[in-house]
Every structure is written in structure tokens, then in C-alpha cells.
Amino acid sequence: MSLAWMGLLSLPNWFIHISSSLEWGIAALMMYRYGKIAGRADIRFFGLSMLPHWIGSFFVLAYHITTDSIPLLLDLSETINLLGSISLFWATLRILRHSGNSYAAGFAGCLGTVMIAGKPQSYMGDDVFDAILQISSVVYISFLVAMIMVRRRDPSVFSGLTVAGFWFVLVFISVTVFFMYLATEVRGFHSLSHDDLLHGSAESLLTVSNLMIVLGIHRQTRWYEAQMKTGSGPEHS
């Protein structure tokens, strides 16, 4: 059997990439299910808001299948991830509004309009691509801060492990940037994808963060179901 589809990645590295993508998809489904169990439309919306990032992961997989020969696939992934970060931020602010912050949705709408109005097209050049990455980072960090606010105001929405999992994505990004430098400037590879060891090591951190999110949602769902069985209802603790 030909293994040409594996591209630059080894079999273990492919396993890590596919696992991280599947975990994110499962987390989105579990969050949506938790929203249904809790009777919270805003939590269901949050689960749906995770889907753009999941779609973006398929573009990354396609990019690697083509042996990194179609940069547009990676650029499209980053563009979709920008929309995904905006979606997560919007969804989190909707939850804050449910907790009593009436200004949250309006602020998110203004931010979303500014981001979308730029119509980023990453194939237009490195400057636009870099701008997409920078804007996406700012929006994602804003989303993380909003998550902490939600956790403090309404602990029944996110477990601490879920919040930690989303924050751990920053560790993945930081390590990936550092490993890119090591792979290209120190170890002499053309790109991080060509350095299978460092590439797989960096991607494994995303697998860890997504697993934390999945386990956190599972824990929160079990907690809520236990509260319903005892008849005590959700308790903020």
C-alpha cells in the first residue's frame, strides 16, 4: 500500500494531528449536548461556535497531505480560525449577557463588524497573512479573558478544566513558534513540518489542550446531571 498520502508527516505525527482534530469536534458536540441538558441556548450556541476552528483543522490536514505544497490551504485555515476566534468571543459574551452584562453582545457585534469588514484574504500576501494572525491572537486572548469572567459569574457553564484547556492553547502556540525557530534556524530544516520530531512534539500539546477541554465538559455535564438527580439544582461553587 502506498503511503504517499502521508506527505512530510510520519504515522505517529499523523495520529497526533488527527486526534487533536477529532477531540475538538467531540468537544463541540459535547458542549452543544450540555447546553441541551441544561436548557441553555447560549451554551448550545457556544458549542456551535467551536465548529469554525474544527473546519479550519481540516485545511491544515489537507495542507500536510499535499506535502505543504499548497500554501493557500494553510492561509485559508488561518482565515477560518480568525472567524472561529470571533465566533468563540461572541458566544462567550452572549453567556455573559445571560449573566447580566447587557453591553456584552453589542461590544461583540462592533468587534465582529470591524474584523469582517476587512475581508482578509491571506493569498494577497504576507502582510495580510500576518495581520490575520495578529488579529486572531488578540480576539482569542479577549475570548480567554471573557471565559474567566463567565467562570467567576456562573461556574455552572464552564468547568475549571475546560477553561484551563482553552488557555493551554497559548502554550501550544508559544512552543510551536519556538520550535519553528529551532527547526529552521538551528536544526537547518526547510520548515517545522520537515522536522518531524519537533513538529509532532508541538502538535501533541494541542492534543493535550483539546483533551482537557473534552474532559472538562464531561465533568461539568456529569456534575449538572448529578445536581438534577438530587433535586438541588445548579450550585455556584
Side-chain angles (χ1 to χ4, degrees), residues 22-121:
L22 287 177
E23 287 171 351
W24 186 271
I26 291 172
L29 178 61
M30 291 176 63
M31 183 63 75
Y32 183 85
R33 176 177 176 270
Y34 176 54
K36 291 189 66 176
I37 294 174
R40 296 275 299 270
D42 53 346
I43 297 178
R44 294 199 303 272
F45 183 80
F46 185 92
L48 294 176
S49 74
M50 296 177 66
L51 294 180
H53 275 293
W54 190 45
I55 295 172
S57 71
F58 290 112
F59 282 90
V60 174
L61 294 177
Y63 175 67
H64 290 318
I65 288 177
T66 62
T67 64
D68 296 11
S69 61
I70 307 180
L72 178 60
L73 291 173
L74 185 61
D75 295 351
L76 287 174
S77 170
E78 295 298 342
T79 303
I80 293 173
N81 285 340
L82 168 59
L83 298 178
S85 294
I86 294 173
S87 179
L88 287 173
F89 188 35
W90 174 275
T92 307
L93 291 178
R94 277 172 55 102
I95 296 174
L96 276 176
R97 184 180 63 175
H98 185 275
S99 302
N101 281 19
S102 59
Y103 64 87
F107 175 67
C110 293
L111 178 63
T113 300
V114 171
M115 299 303 178
I116 295 173
K119 297 181 180 179
Q121 300 181 42

Side-chain angles (χ1 to χ4, degrees), residues 90-188:
W90 174 275
T92 307
L93 291 178
R94 277 172 55 102
I95 296 174
L96 276 176
R97 184 180 63 175
H98 185 275
S99 302
N101 281 19
S102 59
Y103 64 87
F107 175 67
C110 293
L111 178 63
T113 300
V114 171
M115 299 303 178
I116 295 173
K119 297 181 180 179
Q121 300 181 42
S122 51
Y123 57 81
M124 291 177 62
D126 292 339
D127 290 341
V128 176
F129 181 56
D130 290 342
I132 290 174
L133 291 177
Q134 293 171 8
I135 294 173
S136 184
S137 298
V138 171
V139 176
Y140 188 80
I141 291 175
S142 300
F143 151 67
L144 293 178
V145 173
M147 278 199 83
I148 292 179
M149 294 176 63
V150 170
R151 174 64 184 169
R152 290 179 176 177
R153 291 174 180 269
D154 188 359
S156 68
V157 178
F158 302 120
S159 72
L161 185 58
T162 295
V163 175
F166 278 106
W167 273 89
F168 196 77
V169 173
L170 296 183
V171 176
F172 157 70
I173 295 174
S174 300
V175 171
T176 298
V177 171
F178 177 63
F179 280 6
M180 286 176 62
Y181 170 79
L182 288 181
T184 58
E185 301 297 330
V186 178
R187 291 165 63 88

